[in-house]
Amino acid sequence: MTFPASAELRNDPVALIRDKALWIRRRSFQMVYEAQLGHPGGDFSAADVLATLYFGVLRHDPADPRNPARDRFVMSKGHCTGAFYAVLAAAGFFPEADLSTYMQPLSKLNGHPNRNYLPGVETNTGPLGHGLPVSVGIAIAGQIDKADYRTFVLTGDGELQEGSNWEAALTAGHRKLENLTLIIDRNRLQQGARTEETASLDPLDDKWRAFGWHVEMVDGHDHRALYEVLSASPKGRGKPLCVIANTFKGKGVSFMHDNVAWHHGVPNQEQYEQAMRELV
Amino acid sequence: MSAAAPAPAGWHDCRDTFSRTVEALAEADPRIVTVVSDSVGSSKLVNFRKRWPERMVNVGIAEQTVVAVGAGLANGGKIPFVSAAACFLTARAMEQIKADVAYTNVNVKLIGQSSGIAYGELGPTHHSIEDMAWLRLLNNLTLIVPSDPWETEQAIRAAAALDGPVFIRVSRMPVPDLKRSNAKFEIGRAETLREGNDLAIIANGVMVHRALAAAEALAADGIAARVVNMSTVNPLDEATILEAAKTGAVVTVEEHSVRGGLGGAVAEVLATHDPVPMRILGFPGFLPTGSADWLLEHFHLNAAGIADAARQLLARK
């Protein structure tokens, strides 16, 4: 299985990812503006990771979204559906026009993703601390079957305060799940404050190493760095991979940058128009 | 673990039926795997581990993960039997059961071992008398409370054949084989084990044989009690409940809290469609210290207690 964009990708993977990341930011912000609901700060911190995965790394087939050989991606920070739905539409899992129904009555695009409504969603998330444990289960299935597919999961950083992640981290380390990659959207902000003011996570890399994981720290907005670390073959590593993607909430728009108010803040018309002028 | 009195000869620990049936299924279907939270011995899965070590996933003492990993294994094409003590599997991992299993609607089989008050003296932390109430309102999740070894095997096999989430209560309290003739198990279909038109006793799990004994005692008084085995709690066989209501009085019996379980489910149906006098027999809540047998006797959850409740109810009919 190859990703649909493979031909473009061969020419210049990073340029394609950059284009898609910009499109995800613009389209998701339009969704949030129209719905007057959403989590745009986290959409923007995760946009580059999502673009890199869907346009540079994941082997998937939108025409056959449950192909058993597919790479899995689990969006554990399920509240950031603006960016997640935008990337799924961009990758071809459903028509872009559906994005205009975001959170409208009876829309398939609920505030949190539902596998039974939308192709491309692997598991229903929303409550935090669920995506990694489920991803560990998927990776174990692949390990038992000696299958080729990889499992990727994106969590927030505040989300790591949920204890379920650390249960799952133990199991993944114990079983040496090299087919599993956790990406942490390390924007250092949770709903109401900085993570380090709330329940501090640092030294975060040491924590994962102590649990038996291989850790890579990258600039989570550097498409080339993300592409290189995520597309490298895991074969022979003998450990699950934790990529700490250092990001900024609201990345790409000046007044949202690193601003906790934009966790679930929504723009008025003036803010929307200014953001669109900046996102070019 | 609990110091229960020795069971009568020929009675069964349905955990043995569970493990034997899962092994038989695993022989025929490589997708079958077991998932445990250090609960190998208590699930009677030592032999499974010996036969298929690579098909047993032990996540350690981590119930949230045992359920979530089950959901992930199902995503990877496996048919996971997640087996752990019912008290911890439900209370500790309720959100995983809700979100990862029921709401996502994945092919996971949850086995709540040693459910109800089987752990006796170990107390309310280890009792699971809230699980039916918590689980029965989750959409998509089939909930089965088998009554004896035959029905336990049928439920496990039906769960494996169904593409969807299932929770099965498996008690460690010995029960007799109810020795049905020509019985056919079907998920969502209650079973009338004894005919009678004076009143109906609706029971499930380890209370079914006690309900049958109560009906026998009532027959000696000339009272014809129908006995219905409501082993599937979700989806609920409402038609059989409404048929039972035509007797004019309904007693429910469960190894569970009197709030929100089988009795609650039956009461919802009757109150909505055909209210008749009802008694809900079960436990009042957190229980005092005592063996499983002692608790059942103390709270009159035995043949005599059920028969007495039935007689009192008939006076209101």
Short mmCIF file of all heavy atoms in Angstrom, two decimals, chain A residues 70 72 110 112-117 122-124 127-130 133-138 140-141 144-145 149 163-164 167-168 171 174-175, chain B residues 33 54-66 68-73 75-78 92 95-96 99-100 103-106:
data_model
loop_
_atom_site.label_atom_id
_atom_site.label_comp_id
_atom_site.label_asym_id
_atom_site.label_seq_id
_atom_site.Cartn_x
_atom_site.Cartn_y
_atom_site.Cartn_z
N ARG A 70 -2.94 -1.60 6.59
CA ARG A 70 -2.71 -0.15 6.69
C ARG A 70 -1.88 0.21 7.92
O ARG A 70 -1.95 -0.47 8.94
CB ARG A 70 -4.05 0.59 6.78
CG ARG A 70 -4.76 0.40 8.13
CD ARG A 70 -6.19 0.89 8.12
NE ARG A 70 -6.85 0.74 9.41
CZ ARG A 70 -7.37 -0.39 9.88
NH1 ARG A 70 -7.30 -1.50 9.18
NH2 ARG A 70 -7.96 -0.43 11.07
N ARG A 72 -1.71 2.48 11.10
CA ARG A 72 -2.77 3.08 11.92
C ARG A 72 -2.30 4.42 12.48
O ARG A 72 -1.16 4.53 12.90
CB ARG A 72 -3.11 2.17 13.12
CG ARG A 72 -4.18 1.12 12.87
CD ARG A 72 -3.71 0.01 12.01
NE ARG A 72 -4.61 -1.15 12.08
CZ ARG A 72 -4.47 -2.22 11.33
NH1 ARG A 72 -3.49 -2.31 10.43
NH2 ARG A 72 -5.32 -3.22 11.44
N ASN A 110 -18.59 15.05 14.53
CA ASN A 110 -18.81 15.38 15.94
C ASN A 110 -17.62 16.15 16.48
O ASN A 110 -16.55 16.15 15.90
CB ASN A 110 -19.00 14.04 16.70
CG ASN A 110 -19.41 14.25 18.14
OD1 ASN A 110 -18.58 14.33 19.04
ND2 ASN A 110 -20.70 14.35 18.38
N HIS A 112 -15.79 15.25 18.72
CA HIS A 112 -14.72 14.25 18.90
C HIS A 112 -14.96 13.12 17.89
O HIS A 112 -16.09 12.79 17.59
CB HIS A 112 -14.73 13.72 20.33
CG HIS A 112 -14.40 14.79 21.34
ND1 HIS A 112 -15.38 15.49 22.01
CD2 HIS A 112 -13.21 15.29 21.77
CE1 HIS A 112 -14.79 16.38 22.83
NE2 HIS A 112 -13.49 16.29 22.69
N PRO A 113 -13.88 12.52 17.40
CA PRO A 113 -14.02 11.61 16.25
C PRO A 113 -14.71 10.29 16.60
O PRO A 113 -14.46 9.71 17.66
CB PRO A 113 -12.57 11.35 15.82
CG PRO A 113 -11.74 11.66 17.02
CD PRO A 113 -12.48 12.70 17.80
N ASN A 114 -15.54 9.83 15.68
CA ASN A 114 -16.27 8.57 15.84
C ASN A 114 -15.99 7.69 14.63
O ASN A 114 -16.32 8.04 13.50
CB ASN A 114 -17.77 8.85 15.96
CG ASN A 114 -18.57 7.58 16.22
OD1 ASN A 114 -18.29 6.53 15.66
ND2 ASN A 114 -19.58 7.69 17.06
N ARG A 115 -15.40 6.55 14.89
CA ARG A 115 -15.04 5.57 13.86
C ARG A 115 -16.25 5.09 13.07
O ARG A 115 -16.13 4.75 11.89
CB ARG A 115 -14.37 4.39 14.57
CG ARG A 115 -14.17 3.13 13.78
CD ARG A 115 -13.61 2.05 14.72
NE ARG A 115 -13.55 0.74 14.10
CZ ARG A 115 -12.52 0.33 13.37
NH1 ARG A 115 -11.51 1.11 13.16
NH2 ARG A 115 -12.51 -0.88 12.85
N ASN A 116 -17.40 5.07 13.73
CA ASN A 116 -18.59 4.55 13.06
C ASN A 116 -19.27 5.59 12.17
O ASN A 116 -20.16 5.27 11.41
CB ASN A 116 -19.56 4.00 14.10
CG ASN A 116 -18.89 2.94 14.95
OD1 ASN A 116 -18.45 1.92 14.43
ND2 ASN A 116 -18.77 3.20 16.24
N TYR A 117 -18.84 6.85 12.30
CA TYR A 117 -19.36 7.89 11.43
C TYR A 117 -18.43 8.14 10.24
O TYR A 117 -18.89 8.48 9.15
CB TYR A 117 -19.48 9.23 12.17
CG TYR A 117 -20.45 9.32 13.33
CD1 TYR A 117 -20.39 10.41 14.19
CD2 TYR A 117 -21.43 8.35 13.55
CE1 TYR A 117 -21.27 10.52 15.26
CE2 TYR A 117 -22.30 8.46 14.62
CZ TYR A 117 -22.22 9.55 15.47
OH TYR A 117 -23.08 9.68 16.53
N GLU A 122 -9.66 5.45 13.72
CA GLU A 122 -9.38 4.09 14.20
C GLU A 122 -10.13 3.76 15.49
O GLU A 122 -10.53 2.61 15.70
CB GLU A 122 -7.88 3.90 14.43
CG GLU A 122 -7.03 4.01 13.17
CD GLU A 122 -7.22 2.83 12.22
OE1 GLU A 122 -7.88 1.84 12.59
OE2 GLU A 122 -6.70 2.93 11.09
N THR A 123 -10.26 4.73 16.38
CA THR A 123 -10.95 4.48 17.65
C THR A 123 -11.53 5.80 18.13
O THR A 123 -10.98 6.86 17.84
CB THR A 123 -9.98 3.88 18.69
OG1 THR A 123 -10.70 3.55 19.90
CG2 THR A 123 -8.85 4.83 19.05
N ASN A 124 -12.66 5.71 18.84
CA ASN A 124 -13.32 6.93 19.29
C ASN A 124 -12.56 7.52 20.48
O ASN A 124 -12.37 6.83 21.48
CB ASN A 124 -14.76 6.63 19.70
CG ASN A 124 -15.59 6.08 18.54
OD1 ASN A 124 -15.07 5.88 17.44
ND2 ASN A 124 -16.85 5.83 18.79
N PRO A 127 -12.25 11.52 25.70
CA PRO A 127 -11.68 11.49 27.04
C PRO A 127 -10.17 11.29 26.89
O PRO A 127 -9.74 10.48 26.07
CB PRO A 127 -12.35 10.29 27.71
CG PRO A 127 -12.85 9.43 26.61
CD PRO A 127 -13.10 10.33 25.43
N LEU A 128 -9.36 11.98 27.65
CA LEU A 128 -7.91 11.93 27.45
C LEU A 128 -7.33 10.65 28.05
O LEU A 128 -7.91 10.04 28.94
CB LEU A 128 -7.26 13.18 28.03
CG LEU A 128 -7.74 14.47 27.34
CD1 LEU A 128 -7.19 15.70 28.04
CD2 LEU A 128 -7.35 14.49 25.86
N GLY A 129 -6.19 10.27 27.50
CA GLY A 129 -5.51 9.08 28.02
C GLY A 129 -6.04 7.78 27.47
O GLY A 129 -5.78 6.72 28.03
N HIS A 130 -6.76 7.82 26.36
CA HIS A 130 -7.30 6.60 25.77
C HIS A 130 -6.52 6.13 24.54
O HIS A 130 -6.46 4.95 24.24
CB HIS A 130 -8.77 6.78 25.39
CG HIS A 130 -9.69 6.70 26.58
ND1 HIS A 130 -10.57 5.67 26.78
CD2 HIS A 130 -9.83 7.53 27.63
CE1 HIS A 130 -11.23 5.87 27.91
NE2 HIS A 130 -10.80 7.00 28.44
N PRO A 133 -3.15 3.67 25.13
CA PRO A 133 -3.43 2.27 25.48
C PRO A 133 -4.06 1.47 24.33
O PRO A 133 -3.70 0.31 24.12
CB PRO A 133 -4.40 2.39 26.67
CG PRO A 133 -4.11 3.74 27.26
CD PRO A 133 -3.74 4.61 26.11
N VAL A 134 -4.97 2.08 23.59
CA VAL A 134 -5.55 1.36 22.45
C VAL A 134 -4.48 1.11 21.39
O VAL A 134 -4.40 0.02 20.80
CB VAL A 134 -6.74 2.14 21.85
CG1 VAL A 134 -7.23 1.49 20.56
CG2 VAL A 134 -7.89 2.22 22.86
N SER A 135 -3.62 2.09 21.17
CA SER A 135 -2.56 1.92 20.16
C SER A 135 -1.59 0.82 20.56
O SER A 135 -1.07 0.10 19.70
CB SER A 135 -1.79 3.24 19.99
OG SER A 135 -2.68 4.25 19.54
N VAL A 136 -1.34 0.68 21.85
CA VAL A 136 -0.49 -0.43 22.31
C VAL A 136 -1.14 -1.76 21.93
O VAL A 136 -0.47 -2.69 21.47
CB VAL A 136 -0.26 -0.32 23.84
CG1 VAL A 136 0.37 -1.60 24.39
CG2 VAL A 136 0.65 0.87 24.15
N GLY A 137 -2.46 -1.85 22.08
CA GLY A 137 -3.16 -3.07 21.68
C GLY A 137 -3.04 -3.34 20.19
O GLY A 137 -2.82 -4.49 19.76
N ILE A 138 -3.15 -2.28 19.37
CA ILE A 138 -3.02 -2.46 17.92
C ILE A 138 -1.60 -2.95 17.60
O ILE A 138 -1.40 -3.88 16.81
CB ILE A 138 -3.30 -1.15 17.16
CG1 ILE A 138 -4.72 -0.64 17.46
CG2 ILE A 138 -3.11 -1.35 15.66
CD1 ILE A 138 -5.01 0.75 16.89
N ILE A 140 0.42 -4.56 19.53
CA ILE A 140 0.61 -5.96 19.97
C ILE A 140 0.02 -6.92 18.94
O ILE A 140 0.61 -7.96 18.63
CB ILE A 140 -0.01 -6.19 21.37
CG1 ILE A 140 0.77 -5.40 22.42
CG2 ILE A 140 0.01 -7.68 21.72
CD1 ILE A 140 0.12 -5.41 23.82
N ALA A 141 -1.14 -6.57 18.38
CA ALA A 141 -1.73 -7.41 17.32
C ALA A 141 -0.74 -7.53 16.17
O ALA A 141 -0.52 -8.63 15.63
CB ALA A 141 -3.06 -6.83 16.85
N ILE A 144 2.14 -9.82 17.25
CA ILE A 144 1.77 -11.25 17.23
C ILE A 144 1.78 -11.78 15.79
O ILE A 144 2.25 -12.88 15.52
CB ILE A 144 0.37 -11.45 17.88
CG1 ILE A 144 0.43 -11.16 19.38
CG2 ILE A 144 -0.14 -12.87 17.62
CD1 ILE A 144 -0.94 -11.12 20.06
N ASP A 145 1.24 -10.97 14.88
CA ASP A 145 1.13 -11.41 13.48
C ASP A 145 2.41 -11.19 12.67
O ASP A 145 2.44 -11.53 11.49
CB ASP A 145 -0.02 -10.64 12.79
CG ASP A 145 -1.39 -11.09 13.31
OD1 ASP A 145 -1.46 -12.19 13.89
OD2 ASP A 145 -2.36 -10.33 13.12
N TYR A 149 2.70 -3.39 9.35
CA TYR A 149 2.14 -2.06 9.56
C TYR A 149 2.69 -1.42 10.83
O TYR A 149 3.08 -2.09 11.78
CB TYR A 149 0.61 -2.08 9.58
CG TYR A 149 -0.06 -2.84 10.71
CD1 TYR A 149 -0.21 -2.28 11.96
CD2 TYR A 149 -0.58 -4.12 10.50
CE1 TYR A 149 -0.83 -2.96 12.99
CE2 TYR A 149 -1.21 -4.82 11.52
CZ TYR A 149 -1.33 -4.24 12.76
OH TYR A 149 -1.95 -4.91 13.78
N GLY A 163 -3.21 8.87 34.20
CA GLY A 163 -2.40 7.71 34.57
C GLY A 163 -2.46 6.56 33.59
O GLY A 163 -1.52 5.76 33.49
N SER A 164 -3.54 6.47 32.82
CA SER A 164 -3.68 5.35 31.87
C SER A 164 -2.53 5.33 30.88
O SER A 164 -2.12 4.26 30.41
CB SER A 164 -5.01 5.47 31.13
OG SER A 164 -5.15 6.76 30.56
N GLU A 167 0.39 3.34 32.44
CA GLU A 167 0.15 1.89 32.39
C GLU A 167 0.55 1.37 31.02
O GLU A 167 1.26 0.37 30.88
CB GLU A 167 -1.35 1.58 32.57
CG GLU A 167 -1.93 1.74 33.95
CD GLU A 167 -3.39 1.26 34.03
OE1 GLU A 167 -3.92 0.66 33.05
OE2 GLU A 167 -3.99 1.49 35.07
N ALA A 168 0.06 2.05 30.00
CA ALA A 168 0.31 1.61 28.62
C ALA A 168 1.79 1.73 28.27
O ALA A 168 2.35 0.90 27.55
CB ALA A 168 -0.53 2.42 27.65
N THR A 171 3.61 -1.34 29.45
CA THR A 171 3.38 -2.51 28.61
C THR A 171 4.14 -2.39 27.28
O THR A 171 4.76 -3.35 26.82
CB THR A 171 1.87 -2.70 28.36
OG1 THR A 171 1.27 -3.09 29.59
CG2 THR A 171 1.61 -3.77 27.32
N HIS A 174 7.81 -2.95 27.99
CA HIS A 174 8.04 -4.35 28.34
C HIS A 174 8.04 -5.24 27.10
O HIS A 174 8.85 -6.15 26.98
CB HIS A 174 6.95 -4.81 29.32
CG HIS A 174 7.06 -6.25 29.71
ND1 HIS A 174 7.98 -6.71 30.62
CD2 HIS A 174 6.38 -7.34 29.29
CE1 HIS A 174 7.86 -8.01 30.75
NE2 HIS A 174 6.89 -8.43 29.96
N ARG A 175 7.11 -4.96 26.19
CA ARG A 175 6.99 -5.81 24.99
C ARG A 175 7.86 -5.33 23.83
O ARG A 175 7.78 -5.89 22.75
CB ARG A 175 5.51 -5.88 24.56
CG ARG A 175 4.62 -6.52 25.60
CD ARG A 175 3.22 -6.68 25.05
NE ARG A 175 3.16 -7.68 24.00
CZ ARG A 175 2.75 -8.94 24.19
NH1 ARG A 175 2.37 -9.35 25.37
NH2 ARG A 175 2.72 -9.79 23.18
N VAL B 33 -7.49 -14.55 21.10
CA VAL B 33 -6.40 -14.30 22.04
C VAL B 33 -7.01 -14.00 23.41
O VAL B 33 -8.20 -13.64 23.50
CB VAL B 33 -5.49 -13.12 21.61
CG1 VAL B 33 -4.77 -13.43 20.31
CG2 VAL B 33 -6.29 -11.82 21.48
N GLU B 54 2.16 -17.07 23.08
CA GLU B 54 2.20 -15.87 22.24
C GLU B 54 0.81 -15.29 22.03
O GLU B 54 0.68 -14.17 21.54
CB GLU B 54 2.87 -16.20 20.89
CG GLU B 54 2.06 -17.03 19.91
CD GLU B 54 1.84 -18.49 20.32
OE1 GLU B 54 2.41 -18.94 21.34
OE2 GLU B 54 1.09 -19.20 19.62
N ARG B 55 -0.21 -16.03 22.40
CA ARG B 55 -1.59 -15.53 22.22
C ARG B 55 -2.22 -15.12 23.54
O ARG B 55 -3.43 -14.94 23.61
CB ARG B 55 -2.44 -16.59 21.51
CG ARG B 55 -2.09 -16.70 20.03
CD ARG B 55 -2.63 -17.96 19.40
NE ARG B 55 -4.07 -17.97 19.33
CZ ARG B 55 -4.77 -19.01 18.88
NH1 ARG B 55 -4.14 -20.11 18.47
NH2 ARG B 55 -6.09 -18.95 18.83
N MET B 56 -1.41 -14.99 24.57
CA MET B 56 -1.90 -14.40 25.82
C MET B 56 -1.14 -13.10 26.06
O MET B 56 0.09 -13.09 26.08
CB MET B 56 -1.70 -15.34 27.01
CG MET B 56 -2.01 -14.61 28.32
SD MET B 56 -1.91 -15.65 29.77
CE MET B 56 -3.44 -16.55 29.64
N VAL B 57 -1.88 -12.02 26.22
CA VAL B 57 -1.27 -10.72 26.50
C VAL B 57 -1.55 -10.39 27.96
O VAL B 57 -2.70 -10.22 28.36
CB VAL B 57 -1.87 -9.63 25.58
CG1 VAL B 57 -1.23 -8.28 25.89
CG2 VAL B 57 -1.69 -9.99 24.11
N ASN B 58 -0.48 -10.31 28.76
CA ASN B 58 -0.63 -9.97 30.17
C ASN B 58 -0.06 -8.57 30.37
O ASN B 58 1.14 -8.35 30.27
CB ASN B 58 0.12 -10.99 31.03
CG ASN B 58 -0.18 -10.81 32.51
OD1 ASN B 58 -0.74 -9.80 32.93
ND2 ASN B 58 0.18 -11.81 33.30
N VAL B 59 -0.92 -7.61 30.64
CA VAL B 59 -0.47 -6.21 30.76
C VAL B 59 -0.08 -5.86 32.19
O VAL B 59 0.27 -4.71 32.47
CB VAL B 59 -1.54 -5.22 30.25
CG1 VAL B 59 -1.89 -5.49 28.80
CG2 VAL B 59 -2.78 -5.24 31.14
N GLY B 60 -0.14 -6.83 33.09
CA GLY B 60 0.11 -6.50 34.49
C GLY B 60 -1.14 -5.94 35.14
O GLY B 60 -2.23 -5.93 34.54
N ILE B 61 -0.99 -5.48 36.36
CA ILE B 61 -2.16 -5.05 37.14
C ILE B 61 -2.57 -3.67 36.66
O ILE B 61 -2.16 -2.65 37.21
CB ILE B 61 -1.82 -5.07 38.64
CG1 ILE B 61 -1.27 -6.45 39.05
CG2 ILE B 61 -3.05 -4.72 39.47
CD1 ILE B 61 -0.62 -6.48 40.41
N ALA B 62 -3.35 -3.64 35.60
CA ALA B 62 -3.64 -2.39 34.91
C ALA B 62 -4.95 -2.57 34.13
O ALA B 62 -4.95 -2.88 32.94
CB ALA B 62 -2.49 -2.04 33.95
N GLU B 63 -6.06 -2.37 34.84
CA GLU B 63 -7.35 -2.69 34.20
C GLU B 63 -7.71 -1.74 33.07
O GLU B 63 -8.34 -2.15 32.09
CB GLU B 63 -8.47 -2.71 35.25
CG GLU B 63 -8.47 -3.94 36.13
CD GLU B 63 -7.42 -3.87 37.23
OE1 GLU B 63 -6.90 -2.77 37.51
OE2 GLU B 63 -7.12 -4.93 37.82
N GLN B 64 -7.34 -0.46 33.19
CA GLN B 64 -7.65 0.45 32.08
C GLN B 64 -6.96 -0.04 30.81
O GLN B 64 -7.54 -0.04 29.72
CB GLN B 64 -7.19 1.87 32.41
CG GLN B 64 -7.90 2.49 33.59
CD GLN B 64 -7.44 3.92 33.81
OE1 GLN B 64 -7.87 4.83 33.11
NE2 GLN B 64 -6.57 4.12 34.77
N THR B 65 -5.71 -0.47 30.99
CA THR B 65 -4.95 -0.93 29.83
C THR B 65 -5.45 -2.28 29.33
O THR B 65 -5.45 -2.53 28.13
CB THR B 65 -3.45 -0.96 30.18
OG1 THR B 65 -3.02 0.39 30.37
CG2 THR B 65 -2.61 -1.59 29.09
N VAL B 66 -5.88 -3.15 30.24
CA VAL B 66 -6.32 -4.47 29.76
C VAL B 66 -7.52 -4.31 28.83
O VAL B 66 -7.64 -5.00 27.81
CB VAL B 66 -6.59 -5.44 30.94
CG1 VAL B 66 -8.01 -5.36 31.48
CG2 VAL B 66 -6.29 -6.87 30.52
N ALA B 68 -8.35 -1.39 27.14
CA ALA B 68 -7.94 -0.63 25.95
C ALA B 68 -7.12 -1.49 24.99
O ALA B 68 -7.28 -1.42 23.77
CB ALA B 68 -7.15 0.60 26.37
N VAL B 69 -6.23 -2.31 25.55
CA VAL B 69 -5.43 -3.20 24.70
C VAL B 69 -6.35 -4.20 23.99
O VAL B 69 -6.14 -4.52 22.82
CB VAL B 69 -4.33 -3.90 25.53
CG1 VAL B 69 -3.78 -5.13 24.82
CG2 VAL B 69 -3.19 -2.91 25.81
N GLY B 70 -7.38 -4.64 24.67
CA GLY B 70 -8.37 -5.50 24.02
C GLY B 70 -8.97 -4.79 22.80
O GLY B 70 -9.08 -5.37 21.72
N ALA B 71 -9.32 -3.52 22.98
CA ALA B 71 -9.90 -2.75 21.87
C ALA B 71 -8.89 -2.63 20.73
O ALA B 71 -9.25 -2.75 19.55
CB ALA B 71 -10.33 -1.37 22.35
N GLY B 72 -7.63 -2.41 21.07
CA GLY B 72 -6.60 -2.31 20.04
C GLY B 72 -6.38 -3.63 19.31
O GLY B 72 -6.22 -3.66 18.09
N LEU B 73 -6.39 -4.72 20.05
CA LEU B 73 -6.21 -6.04 19.43
C LEU B 73 -7.36 -6.31 18.46
O LEU B 73 -7.15 -6.90 17.38
CB LEU B 73 -6.16 -7.13 20.51
CG LEU B 73 -4.84 -7.19 21.30
CD1 LEU B 73 -5.03 -7.95 22.61
CD2 LEU B 73 -3.74 -7.84 20.46
N ASN B 75 -8.94 -4.05 16.78
CA ASN B 75 -8.62 -3.22 15.60
C ASN B 75 -7.63 -3.95 14.71
O ASN B 75 -7.70 -3.86 13.48
CB ASN B 75 -8.04 -1.88 16.07
CG ASN B 75 -7.66 -0.97 14.92
OD1 ASN B 75 -6.79 -1.30 14.13
ND2 ASN B 75 -8.32 0.18 14.81
N GLY B 76 -6.72 -4.70 15.33
CA GLY B 76 -5.73 -5.46 14.56
C GLY B 76 -6.24 -6.81 14.08
O GLY B 76 -5.44 -7.64 13.63
N GLY B 77 -7.55 -7.05 14.19
CA GLY B 77 -8.14 -8.26 13.61
C GLY B 77 -8.25 -9.44 14.55
O GLY B 77 -8.66 -10.53 14.13
N LYS B 78 -7.89 -9.26 15.81
CA LYS B 78 -7.99 -10.36 16.78
C LYS B 78 -9.40 -10.41 17.38
O LYS B 78 -10.16 -9.44 17.31
CB LYS B 78 -6.98 -10.18 17.91
CG LYS B 78 -5.53 -10.09 17.45
CD LYS B 78 -5.09 -11.37 16.80
CE LYS B 78 -3.67 -11.28 16.27
NZ LYS B 78 -3.35 -12.41 15.38
N ARG B 92 -12.86 -0.09 37.64
CA ARG B 92 -11.60 0.58 37.34
C ARG B 92 -11.54 1.04 35.89
O ARG B 92 -10.91 2.04 35.57
CB ARG B 92 -10.44 -0.38 37.63
CG ARG B 92 -9.07 0.26 37.68
CD ARG B 92 -9.03 1.31 38.79
NE ARG B 92 -7.69 1.78 39.06
CZ ARG B 92 -6.90 1.30 40.02
NH1 ARG B 92 -7.31 0.31 40.78
NH2 ARG B 92 -5.71 1.81 40.21
N GLU B 95 -14.56 3.79 31.94
CA GLU B 95 -14.50 4.69 30.79
C GLU B 95 -13.92 4.01 29.56
O GLU B 95 -14.32 4.31 28.42
CB GLU B 95 -13.71 5.95 31.11
CG GLU B 95 -13.92 7.02 30.04
CD GLU B 95 -13.20 8.30 30.36
OE1 GLU B 95 -11.95 8.31 30.22
OE2 GLU B 95 -13.85 9.27 30.75
N GLN B 96 -12.99 3.08 29.78
CA GLN B 96 -12.48 2.32 28.62
C GLN B 96 -13.59 1.43 28.06
O GLN B 96 -13.70 1.26 26.83
CB GLN B 96 -11.27 1.47 29.03
CG GLN B 96 -9.95 2.24 29.10
CD GLN B 96 -9.85 3.18 30.28
OE1 GLN B 96 -10.56 3.05 31.27
NE2 GLN B 96 -8.95 4.16 30.18
N ALA B 99 -15.96 4.06 26.23
CA ALA B 99 -15.48 4.78 25.04
C ALA B 99 -14.76 3.85 24.06
O ALA B 99 -15.06 3.86 22.86
CB ALA B 99 -14.54 5.91 25.46
N ASP B 100 -13.81 3.05 24.56
CA ASP B 100 -12.97 2.26 23.65
C ASP B 100 -13.71 1.04 23.11
O ASP B 100 -13.42 0.57 22.01
CB ASP B 100 -11.70 1.76 24.38
CG ASP B 100 -10.89 2.88 25.02
OD1 ASP B 100 -11.19 4.05 24.78
OD2 ASP B 100 -9.95 2.55 25.78
N TYR B 103 -18.74 2.40 22.76
CA TYR B 103 -19.01 3.52 21.84
C TYR B 103 -18.27 3.32 20.51
O TYR B 103 -18.82 3.56 19.43
CB TYR B 103 -18.60 4.83 22.52
CG TYR B 103 -18.82 6.08 21.70
CD1 TYR B 103 -20.03 6.35 21.07
CD2 TYR B 103 -17.78 7.01 21.56
CE1 TYR B 103 -20.20 7.51 20.33
CE2 TYR B 103 -17.96 8.17 20.82
CZ TYR B 103 -19.17 8.42 20.20
OH TYR B 103 -19.34 9.55 19.47
N THR B 104 -17.03 2.85 20.60
CA THR B 104 -16.30 2.55 19.35
C THR B 104 -16.90 1.32 18.67
O THR B 104 -16.78 1.14 17.47
CB THR B 104 -14.80 2.37 19.64
OG1 THR B 104 -14.29 3.54 20.28
CG2 THR B 104 -14.01 2.15 18.35
N ASN B 105 -17.57 0.49 19.46
CA ASN B 105 -18.27 -0.70 18.94
C ASN B 105 -17.31 -1.70 18.31
O ASN B 105 -17.41 -2.02 17.13
CB ASN B 105 -19.35 -0.28 17.94
CG ASN B 105 -20.40 -1.38 17.72
OD1 ASN B 105 -20.44 -2.36 18.47
ND2 ASN B 105 -21.22 -1.22 16.71
N VAL B 106 -16.39 -2.18 19.12
CA VAL B 106 -15.36 -3.10 18.61
C VAL B 106 -15.60 -4.52 19.12
O VAL B 106 -16.33 -4.75 20.08
CB VAL B 106 -13.94 -2.63 18.99
CG1 VAL B 106 -13.57 -1.40 18.19
CG2 VAL B 106 -13.81 -2.38 20.48
#
